[in-house]
Amino acid sequence: MSLTLKELFNKIFKILNSKKIENPGLEANMIISHVLKINNEKIFMQNNKKVYKKNLSKIYKIVRQRIQDKPMAYLVGNTYFYSNKFYVNNNVLIPRPESELIVELGCKSIKNTKDPEILDLCCGSGCIGISIYKNLRWKPQIVFSDISAKALKVCKKNLNKFRIKKNSIVIESDLFKKIDRKFNLIVCNPPYIKNADFLNLDNTIRSYEPRSALVSSDNGTNHLKRVIKSSKKRLYDNGVLVVEIGYNQSKEITNFFKKQGFSDIVVSKDLSGIKRAISAKWKK
Ligand SMILES: C[S@@+](CC[C@H](N)C(=O)[O-])C[C@H]1O[C@@H](n2cnc3c(N)ncnc32)[C@H](O)[C@@H]1O
């Protein structure tokens, strides 16, 4: 049995469309190009190329998983963040566009620091720290840390991919427990969703992404507050902490930063206008 690329594309498009997948054309394209290992554009340039049974079965298997809500990034094993393609699997959160704000704020805060020392805490795939590294003129030393050994395996794969293994250290740690040095910049996108909100998330997220990457106790603020409190000992004078926060946490977390003695506290909005990140300076 075989189908031409055009027939195959149309068939998958129809299936995905009937299941109300948001971008059926784009996703059909991604699935085919992933399995056949060809460029997206080539699918349309090779309309009559035949696809045979073995590859058809692989493609249909992915389509079946996709219509059961498995995220595309896990199915094809990668996703784009800050214009770069990161390796991902279901042991890490899929990097979100709103987290690109942390990269912007982090880079801005150390653009004039020579040889900065940086910590990407709760690093997951490593997307934030790696994007900062790639955007700095002076290549920094970056520590990547996460509580999950499986997530750190993914992070290490990305460090290899982007050739920054030499400039990085990977530490498995519950927040700062195994981190005993200071930094000029700490970036952190911790779990910050409260359990009740988690239960209302889309099935694509709830059933497939690691719960431990998303949910935090105390109305979602437990990790954030622990990070802010412990950062004081782990920042050099004038060092900066940048954290991502939930849609309704700006007031509570800003107050907590103040209470802990941070200065220059700035709340930034993401592209949807949601208060999504807070940066603050630590002065002794
Ligand atoms: C929201 S994800 C962020 C991942 C990545 N930085 C990103 O932005 O895509 C949170 C990460 O925190 C990690 N994590 C959860 N609890 C932790 C803890 N107590 N200490 C360190 N990391 C933790 C999870 O394993 C997960 O990788």
Side-chain angles (χ1 to χ4, degrees):
M1 193 186 77
S2 70
L3 287 180
T4 65
L5 269 179
K6 188 175 181 186
E7 288 165 340
L8 179 62
F9 175 86
N10 288 339
K11 184 171 176 179
I12 298 175
F13 179 93
K14 250 187 168 165
I15 298 172
L16 296 178
N17 198 34
S18 71
K19 298 288 174 186
K20 308 264 182 295
I21 299 284
E22 214 172 284
N23 284 309
L26 177 73
E27 296 205 0
N29 217 308
M30 283 169 79
I31 294 171
I32 296 171
S33 59
H34 170 70
V35 172
L36 301 185
K37 298 184 177 50
I38 54 174
N39 250 330
N40 280 3
E41 304 91 57
K42 284 208 177 136
I43 293 177
F44 296 107
M45 285 154 58
Q46 301 178 18
N47 265 336
N48 294 318
K49 185 184 155 89
K50 293 263 189 203
V51 184
Y52 294 95
K53 198 174 163 195
K54 200 169 154 202
N55 279 332
L56 285 177
S57 313
K58 285 187 191 164
I59 288 169
Y60 295 150
K61 187 175 169 197
I62 295 182
V63 173
R64 275 196 301 276
Q65 290 177 285
R66 182 62 191 116
I67 60 182
Q68 282 164 9
D69 284 343
K70 186 160 183 176
M72 200 59 195
Y74 292 154
L75 290 168
V76 297
N78 61 64
T79 195
Y80 280 88
F81 180 80
Y82 218 76
S83 306
N84 290 301
K85 200 180 193 175
F86 285 83
Y87 170 71
V88 293
N89 66 22
N90 59 2
N91 294 310
V92 292
L93 186 93
I94 300 166
R96 304 292 204 269
E98 55 268 31
S99 304
E100 294 182 347
L101 184 56
I102 311 293
V103 177
E104 303 274 342
L105 296 170
C107 286
K108 205 168 126 194
S109 78
I110 45 161
K111 66 174 192 286
N112 297 322
T113 311
K114 209 163 174 206
D115 301 324
E117 291 164 60
I118 301 172
L119 169 65
D120 181 353
L121 191 66
C122 301
C123 64
S125 63
C127 61
I128 294 178
I130 292 171
S131 304
I132 291 177
Y133 178 92
K134 284 180 70 70
N135 277 280
L136 289 177
R137 197 150 44 110
W138 289 304
K139 293 306 176 196
Q141 273 293 326
I142 305 202
V143 175
F144 292 86
S145 181
D146 201 285
I147 199 169
S148 155
K150 286 181 179 168
L152 288 176
K153 235 173 151 181
V154 175
C155 178
K156 281 181 192 162
K157 253 184 131 164
N158 283 316
L159 294 175
N160 268 332
K161 177 176 156 84
F162 291 102
R163 298 177 198 283
I164 68 171
K165 220 175 139 193
K166 263 195 349 211
N167 287 46
S168 59
I169 298 169
V170 175
I171 301 175
E172 186 183 330
S173 170
D174 177 359
L175 298 182
F176 288 97
K177 266 194 188 141
K178 293 197 186 136
I179 299 170
D180 56 5
R181 49 182 274 200
K182 292 196 177 196
F183 301 91
N184 303 98
L185 169 67
I186 299 173
V187 284
C188 183
N189 176 15
Y192 56 69
I193 295 176
K194 67 174 175 185
N195 197 47
D197 285 351
F198 175 77
L199 300 175
N200 290 325
L201 290 175
D202 273 0
N203 188 37
T204 334
I205 304 172
R206 211 171 1 96
S207 300
Y208 294 98
E209 298 202 62
R211 190 179 183 280
S212 56
L214 292 160
V215 177
S216 185
S217 54
D218 304 334
N219 268 335
T221 62
N222 179 281
H223 283 73
L224 277 164
K225 288 181 177 170
R226 279 162 63 204
V227 170
I228 295 166
K229 209 167 171 188
S230 305
S231 286
K232 298 192 290 183
K233 276 200 217 122
R234 298 285 159 242
L235 282 168
Y236 288 120
D237 200 23
N238 285 314
V240 172
L241 169 64
V242 184
V243 291
E244 182 166 321
I245 55 166
Y247 68 97
N248 55 359
Q249 294 170 339
S250 144
K251 216 171 174 182
E252 184 175 351
I253 299 301
T254 303
N255 286 337
F256 194 76
F257 264 113
K258 281 185 196 152
K259 215 171 107 190
Q260 292 299 316
F262 280 81
S263 62
D264 301 17
I265 302 164
V266 180
V267 178
S268 301
K269 289 182 181 170
D270 64 18
L271 292 174
S272 317
I274 294 170
K275 289 175 181 163
R276 182 60 70 193
I278 303 185
S279 69
K281 209 172 246 183
W282 177 246
K283 290 182 189 161
K284 268 188 262 169

